[in-house]
Amino acid sequence: MVTIIATIFVPPTTQTTLFRGVEVELERCSEQTRRHIETALKRGTNTPNPLADLEALEENTTAQAVGQLAATMLAQNASTEQVEDALCELRTYMDEHFLQRKLVRLYER
């Protein structure tokens, strides 16, 4: 009879915090960024936001892209469904793009 013993290594679970719509692993942030996030979570909106410029850029860029895409498609006589589908795809792309930029900022990489 043979006995087999297996060891399974489970990586430690990391705790995340929801900050302005982004799941953040605080231990991966710099000390200063971590303090800003913790302060903002405790005090609310009257504190420094390390993502403020990216959020403004996201809003402006997305609005311009949506307007340009819709105008171009309507000028080409695209159907309402085609325009709607394209705008949904654009929104998904922009959300993912800016999420990655926010994570880079928060983790300073």
Side-chain angles (χ1 to χ4, degrees):
M1 180 175 187
V2 176
T3 302
I4 299 175
I5 299 174
T7 303
I8 299 173
F9 292 100
V10 178
T13 56
T14 57
Q15 189 172 16
T16 60
T17 301
L18 185 63
F19 176 69
R20 303 191 63 83
V22 179
E23 288 287 335
V24 181
E25 296 175 34
L26 290 178
E27 62 273 0
R28 290 182 58 194
C29 298
S30 71
E31 185 63 35
Q32 180 181 10
T33 300
R34 188 177 313 123
R35 275 195 314 272
H36 283 308
I37 292 171
E38 289 170 343
T39 301
L41 291 172
K42 289 176 187 170
R43 294 187 187 164
T45 58
N46 295 330
T47 58
N49 174 6
L51 300 177
D53 61 331
L54 279 176
E55 289 172 346
L57 178 64
E58 176 181 17
E59 191 173 313
N60 186 36
T61 303
T62 300
Q64 287 179 357
V66 164
Q68 184 176 4
L69 178 61
T72 300
M73 290 188 75
L74 291 173
Q76 296 174 351
N77 295 320
S79 71
T80 304
E81 292 81 21
Q82 289 173 319
V83 174
E84 187 176 313
D85 289 345
L87 291 174
C88 287
E89 287 181 33
L90 175 63
R91 184 65 182 170
T92 299
Y93 171 80
M94 297 298 279
D95 286 347
E96 182 61 29
H97 172 77
F98 280 100
L99 172 62
Q100 293 304 314
R101 289 186 71 171
K102 290 173 185 175
L103 289 172
V104 166
R105 169 73 55 83
L106 291 169
Y107 299 145
E108 297 180 0
R109 294 183 183 198

